[in-house]
Amino acid sequence: MSTRSVRIDNLTFAFTADQKPFFENVTLELQPGIVTYIMGSNGSGKSTLFRILKGELRPSEIISGSVSINGITYPIINNTIPIELSNQVATIAQDISLMLAPQMTLQEHLKLAAASSKPGFSLFDRIVPKNTVRFSLPSNALISHLSGGQKQLLALMMVLQKPVHILLLDEPTSALDTQNAGQVFEALHEITVKLNLITLVITHDELCADRTNKRILHIERNSSDSRITIY
């Protein structure tokens, strides 16, 4: 399925049936080919939005609305996100240590990630060589010898070994210095454009404001009624 904009209409979400909606009648358009940075204070709903997109809802949670993909509308029914959306999503969590084995090399991680992909599918030749050279990623180095930025770039290349249309990253530069953060943002933007991905990044890093081909999405909570505004 080619990536076009994904639109979510009238999204209403509550943690339980007897609570006020956390999101109410939210409309959100996700655009391919650009990186959308999501900013907001702690507790504003950034991580909750990611869980919704991934379809990771708890039994007590209530959700309604619809999702349109490539012009086809899928209603959210039975408190379930349509698999047409959730199956396209890949996530890189804030703690990437669970993805990496310290005594394996960068190359071994990528081969393992590619081996678990669909038969005949691999972005290995399109993504890996350019970025390993450009960002000085040593293919035969053990993970324990890589910098934080190199590990983040590796995690990004690993998830791209499978068919991905929507990429979610949670604070990918939170533990990085300015130079490493800049490299991660640069690689992320290049890959997003090349593969026409829908890329969403939760961040507090002001470096993203200096990037071209980006969109910044703010999530704010109204203190009087706790409702969320996305703009």
Side-chain angles (χ1 to χ4, degrees), residues 20-38:
K20 291 182 178 180
F22 189 76
F23 294 135
E24 187 168 24
N25 296 325
V26 169
T27 294
L28 182 62
E29 187 163 356
L30 309 178
Q31 302 172 356
I34 65 172
V35 178
T36 297
Y37 291 100
I38 301 177

Side-chain angles (χ1 to χ4, degrees), residues 13-222:
F13 170 85
F15 291 105
T16 63
D18 57 355
Q19 287 186 341
K20 291 182 178 180
F22 189 76
F23 294 135
E24 187 168 24
N25 296 325
V26 169
T27 294
L28 182 62
E29 187 163 356
L30 309 178
Q31 302 172 356
I34 65 172
V35 178
T36 297
Y37 291 100
I38 301 177
M39 297 181 145
S41 59
N42 291 335
S44 62
K46 303 183 298 297
S47 296
T48 299
L49 178 61
F50 270 23
R51 283 202 301 110
I52 291 172
L53 294 174
K54 292 184 290 182
E56 296 179 352
L57 301 177
R58 303 181 180 107
S60 62
E61 294 174 337
I62 307 296
I63 189 169
S64 63
S66 64
V67 177
S68 297
I69 305 172
N70 293 357
I72 301 175
T73 299
Y74 304 91
I76 300 174
I77 56 177
N78 298 324
N79 290 331
T80 302
I81 294 297
I83 61 172
E84 289 82 3
L85 175 65
S86 58
N87 280 355
Q88 298 188 55
V89 175
T91 305
I92 300 178
Q94 187 170 354
D95 181 6
I96 60 173
S97 62
L98 297 177
M99 297 177 60
L100 308 176
Q103 297 309 311
M104 288 177 60
T105 67
L106 182 148
Q107 188 82 356
E108 288 170 339
H109 277 80
L110 291 172
K111 288 182 177 179
L112 184 63
S116 64
S117 181
K118 292 183 178 179
F121 178 90
S122 178
L123 296 176
F124 193 89
D125 293 334
R126 295 163 58 191
I127 295 300
V128 175
K130 176 182 177 181
N131 287 293
T132 53
V133 173
R134 178 167 183 179
F135 298 107
S136 302
L137 300 180
S139 296
N140 295 320
L142 296 177
I143 297 304
S144 57
H145 296 166
L146 299 181
S147 69
Q150 289 172 329
K151 291 177 183 177
Q152 193 69 52
L153 290 172
L154 171 58
L156 175 60
M157 289 189 288
M158 286 174 65
V159 300
L160 291 175
Q161 301 315 304
K162 298 181 180 180
V164 172
H165 297 293
I166 301 173
L167 185 60
L168 309 180
L169 297 94
D170 187 357
E171 295 280 6
T173 60
S174 61
L176 304 182
D177 59 26
T178 301
Q179 180 177 359
N180 278 305
Q183 284 193 337
V184 170
F185 283 138
E186 184 177 352
L188 187 59
H189 277 259
E190 288 188 3
I191 291 171
T192 296
V193 172
K194 183 172 183 178
L195 299 182
N196 201 33
L197 298 176
I198 292 173
T199 300
L200 305 180
V201 183
I202 293 175
T203 186
H204 295 285
D205 196 329
E206 294 300 327
L207 268 178
C208 72
D210 297 329
R211 313 306 303 181
T212 58
N213 205 47
K214 61 145 187 337
R215 175 189 181 200
I216 297 180
L217 198 66
H218 296 271
I219 301 182
E220 290 187 357
R221 176 179 295 281
N222 187 311

Side-chain angles (χ1 to χ4, degrees), residues 1-17:
M1 179 183 295
S2 61
T3 307
R4 300 176 187 171
S5 61
V6 173
R7 183 180 174 91
I8 301 173
D9 286 298
N10 300 317
L11 175 67
T12 297
F13 170 85
F15 291 105
T16 63

